[in-house]
Amino acid sequence: MPRLILLGDEAVALGAVHGGLSAAYSYPGTPASEIMEYLIPRAKKEGPFKATWSVNEKVAYEEALGASFAGKRALVSFKHVGLNVAADPFMNSAITGANGGLVVVSADDPGMHSSQNEQDSRYYARFAQVFCFEPSDHQEAYDMTREAFEVSEKLGLPVMVRLVTRLSHSRSTVETRPSRPENDLGYGEWTDWTLLPTNARRKFGMLIRKQPEMVALSESSPWNSLTLNAESRALGVIASGIAFNYFREAARGSEPLPSFLKVSTYPLPEALVRKLVDHVETILVVEDGYPFIEKRITGMFGIPGKTVLGKTTGALPASGELSPDIVRRALGLPPPASLAAGGVPLAGRPPQLCAGCPHADTFKALNKAREDHAGSSVFSDIGCYTLGALPPYNAVQSCVCMGASVSMARGASDVGVHPAVAVIGDSTFAHSGITPLLGAADAGADMTVIILDNATTAMTGGQPTFGSGERLLRIVAGVGVAPEHIRTIEPLPKNLEANVRVIKEELDYHGLSVIVAVRECIQESRKRRS
Ligand code: SF4
């Protein structure tokens, strides 16, 4: 089988294909989007698996769970905050269990390169009490995804693969292996997946009883390795996932290395941790994300007679991405000679809308329309248009999570804000804007929703959208917005005055209105025409 140069995301995708994948689902989100970007064309060209974007992460998870119940191997992938959206089926599927291998890939974003937080998915794996792999490089991303299907079927549970941005979006060589065929475990006993209280209590007991088996799996896993330095008992390092690579690079040239434990699976390999802790006086925990391992091993009162260093003690920064240089400092090593000359100062490059972006024209019109409405508030959603918060637009005042613009505007209008405005893209509206609009329509909320219909999921690279054009207008009408207050505008400079007029009319209206700003993303329009 060939050696390939792959993105971390692609290594996961190919590992799944070679591991007998039957169906894959996802909603776009950086840094996980490239998993599905790799799978969709491959599914179309070669099959035999199915790969498709879903309306949102919860839907994606449930689609994968259905495929798993039907006895097939399924993959669901999303960025870390996507797991919040999918948390309901994720948590409950740990109780129902899986049939065909069910692999959940959650790509975290330490440093928040393109996210609103840097939450650590390992907490979710622990919360649900399921097994989790954390690859340290591309080869492991490929191998562990394959193995995750096996572990999922062995345990009868979903299994998580946790990635981080630096692994998802870097390239390296991967040694591939022959594909295994799709499996077909059959449907099993359907009623066993019904979470009626009696059944749920029984199944939760089974999940709890599987925990020692998971710890044993972790302890015997070849992905975890303990190396003890018999000559030195001063320092030991526990490094997990990509942080293990940072440790290796940081410590290169300073042999002999301190004792170290590489952690790649959870629950933690407790016996290996115990051996390292017993062997050394001070333990440095190096992990990208939250101090998950560090807090697990120190508990509330620490380890008597031992010092544990990490993110909670200031030995490593509590937020942001780690790097080999940061780990070097934590190890007490001087900076590498090559860096002594210092870097070239770079000018800051804040993100901004593309020149000619339709959102810019909508924000200009919205700002002008709001000039006479001193008490107005604009709640944004998540997409390119969130950049409307920055100069020169300064057009939106909040952005929290997918779909929240509509619900937040409703809440603000309920307590007297007028006009309360929500700004949401067509893809985000399909993801989770429809349900709050349904509630707002039912309540006759006094607010204006502006849906920016650029016919794509632009921010993550132009994936398809589920509600655009006429279909979007039908959805808006279908949830109960009065037809005379469903307006469309075309955000172009030449239409500025006409658009301001429409927006003003709806801001003045005391009731629910929806304005759909229809103009294709210019990047997508360029792609389409090239
Ligand atoms: S990608 Fe499209 S929607 Fe996003 S900023 Fe550029 S033109 Fe606007």
Side-chain angles (χ1 to χ4, degrees), residues 352-360 383-385 387 454 456-462 519-526:
Q352 50 187 297
L353 296 174
C354 304
C357 172
H359 302 334
C384 292
Y385 48 89
L387 296 172
N454 61 3
T456 189
T457 313
M459 189 174 67
T460 47
R519 198 180 126 213
E520 190 180 17
C521 160
I522 56 167
Q523 299 298 348
E524 289 309 299
S525 128
R526 273 185 202 136

